[in-house]
Amino acid sequence: MQQEGCAINIKRVACIGAGYVGGPAMAILAYKCPDVTVTVLDISDARVQAWNSDQLPIYEPGLTDLVKACRGVNLFYSTDAKKHLAEADLIFVCVNTPTKLQGVGAGKAATFGFWEAAARLIAASCQGCGPKIIAEKSPVPVKTAQAMSRVLSGCQDGEKTRFEVISNPEFMSAGSAVEDCLKPDRVLIGGRDTPEGRAAVESLARLYRRWVPPDRVLSMGLWSSELAKLAANAFLAQRISSINAISALCEETGADVQQVSHAIGTDSRIGPRFLSAGCGFGGPALQKHVLNLVYICESLGLAQAAAYWQQVVDMNDWIKARFVRRVITSMFNTIRGKRIAVLGFSYKAHTTDTRDTASIDVCRGLLLDGAALSVYDPKVTPEQIHLDMCLPKGSLEQPRRQHTAVSLATVDVARSAMEACRGAHGVCVLTDWPEFRRLDFHAIFKAMMKPAFIFDGRNVLDHARLREIGFVVYALGKPLDPFLTQKLEDVDVEERAELRRQRRVSVLAHELAEERHAVAAETEALHEAEEEVAEALSRVQSHSQQGQGRAQTEGGSGEGGSGAGAQVAGRGAQAGLASGGPGAGTGGAGS
């Protein structure tokens, strides 16, 4: 590196963390800067092997082609952190800061265990290796850079290495990460207002200016950069919660939320983005960062500001619970024993990311009321769906989620949308995958129980066409289907009897399912008992054969007719064992 206070030409970059942030961001950096060697590090050997294979550990449109173009040329994946950290001029830190589960700030504050571990690893690996630039890449709470600087300086013995910590938050969005990195709205780089801090900021800015217009590469103070990321995500979450609150009002008044949203979005002061009503926002950032902001405000005595941002999260929880209640009330106030198809499990289209997805909370709400679910997602694996439902992966991100024991017997993962919908009473669309718009709903309607319900939680379907086919449709924030607004006293006698029959059938179906489950449990217990009996008989037979062999040996040593006597004795011994009586003694006397 050059002398103190001067920008450098970065030639070697290391990144700690090969996840949803580090993976795509480093692939773009290597692609746009072919003369820079980029090494992505991770403690998981399986994850590193996946990045070095044709099946990447995450799905992002266009990412596989970029990785294949650079991998082995100037893009590498490794678990050898010590070597590559020591060689790097610039080190990106892309590790998670999950929400605390207990203690001070539980449920809101971020925990820095992974960050501290990364800082200690850097300090140990770079001892005496010359100055290093450390860039925060993953979103972190304000003043994280200060904490990292203290750890780095406090963990060194002997010859000290000078570290300059800067902030470079990532604004990519899952499903469009490659496009977001190639054509970012802005790039933030925050550093200390010192010669060393300004030089580190300029060094990184030079890399970005190779493909990002200079006016979009913004330099600022360290704390401003860290807080800007939290504030940006809070504003996005606020817009979603705001339009979701309006969607509930639209349903009650007969207004159309999409029309209202369009009218709002045409205002140049507001704009159209993030004004699509849905069954709640999810993902790894929005809710976590809003809660981090709430905790920071509370810690600084800003109670009113904390309450304001807390309401954004509360509204998100409410809209998910309201969607579940709508499903239950629409299906005659009972979903116990009914099969419900869930289309979409990732938190948004074009990603495999299920962290804090609204689908988990909606599915759990349906399961708590006794429904049997069939889930289909075009990209999320069955293993991931079962893991999230039984041991929710997002528990660290959202400890407020209601956790319950879920039996895999009530959660079926389908291989296609048609398979999920076959025999279902209702369909819930929870992710806006484009393929859901192209489904053969005529065939789906024929394969479903009647009346067939569709609950569009993302407003991606053609509701008029679905009603023509025969579906009862609930679209979030739209005028309610007449079928859903009918009261029982408004229905004629025959229809009322049919409704009662359907309710009774649902109850009987659930009772039958419970009986089948009980029978299956009893059958399994019977099989176990039979195996124990067979094992016991086998032991008895083995002991009997050993006794017969000893009797034959003793009888062979006697005089006259001893062979016949031994056989008689053996039969007598067997008879005695079988009856529990004195047969063995009688046989012995006979010899």
Side-chain angles (χ1 to χ4, degrees), residues 298-418:
E298 289 176 342
S299 300
L300 298 175
L302 305 175
Q304 291 80 4
Y308 175 82
W309 291 112
Q310 180 64 53
Q311 188 59 35
V312 172
V313 177
D314 293 344
M315 175 57 64
N316 193 52
D317 291 339
W318 179 78
I319 203 69
K320 288 181 285 189
R322 186 175 186 273
F323 185 85
V324 172
R325 290 196 300 271
R326 178 66 72 182
V327 173
I328 296 170
T329 57
S330 299
M331 300 176 71
F332 319 115
N333 286 313
T334 177
I335 57 173
R336 183 166 296 279
K338 294 180 179 178
R339 179 182 173 93
I340 297 178
V342 174
L343 301 185
F345 198 78
S346 59
Y347 85 91
K348 62 185 292 187
H350 307 298
T351 182
T352 54
D353 198 341
T354 61
R355 288 175 290 178
D356 262 342
T357 174
S359 299
I360 292 178
D361 291 322
V362 171
C363 287
R364 287 186 170 275
L366 298 174
L367 290 169
L368 283 173
D369 227 63
L373 303 184
S374 181
V375 183
Y376 167 70
D377 189 281
K379 293 296 181 181
V380 182
T381 65
E383 294 78 13
Q384 186 63 56
I385 293 173
H386 281 148
L387 178 64
D388 285 335
M389 291 306 302
C390 297
L391 297 172
K393 186 178 178 181
S395 60
L396 289 178
E397 306 295 348
Q398 173 51 298
R400 298 170 67 250
R401 174 180 294 148
Q402 186 173 17
H403 292 177
T404 56
V406 177
S407 170
L408 292 184
T410 61
V411 181
D412 173 44
V413 180
R415 293 170 294 181
S416 68
M418 185 66 196

Side-chain angles (χ1 to χ4, degrees), residues 207-260:
L207 290 182
Y208 282 114
R209 292 192 196 111
R210 296 192 185 189
W211 77 93
V212 180
D215 61 334
R216 294 189 180 185
V217 181
L218 310 179
S219 300
M220 59 185 63
L222 195 52
W223 316 138
S224 298
S225 177
E226 290 182 336
L227 186 57
K229 176 60 180 178
L230 291 183
N233 278 341
F235 270 62
L236 296 178
Q238 176 202 49
R239 285 173 70 96
I240 297 172
S241 284
S242 295
I243 197 63
N244 282 340
I246 296 297
S247 74
L249 183 60
C250 287
E251 290 178 19
E252 299 301 323
T253 60
D256 187 322
V257 71
Q258 288 183 317
Q259 295 176 1
V260 174

Side-chain angles (χ1 to χ4, degrees), residues 54-76:
D54 292 333
Q55 189 67 39
L56 302 186
I58 65 174
Y59 171 76
E60 281 289 339
L63 180 60
T64 300
D65 293 337
L66 283 176
V67 170
K68 288 183 177 179
C70 302
R71 192 172 56 198
V73 180
N74 69 321
L75 177 62
F76 304 91

Side-chain angles (χ1 to χ4, degrees), residues 5 13 50 78 86 88 139 141 144 151 154 167 190 200 215 224 246 343 350 372 426 466 499 516-517 526 537 550 581:
V13 174
S78 175
T144 300
V151 174
S167 171
D215 61 334
S224 298
I246 296 297
L343 301 185
H350 307 298
L466 292 174
L499 290 176
R516 287 176 176 173
H517 181 72
L526 180 60
L537 289 176
R550 287 194 298 270

Side-chain angles (χ1 to χ4, degrees), residues 36-49:
V36 176
T37 300
V38 180
T39 303
V40 185
L41 305 168
D42 202 281
I43 61 174
S44 171
D45 185 64
R47 179 172 285 266
V48 169
Q49 289 182 17

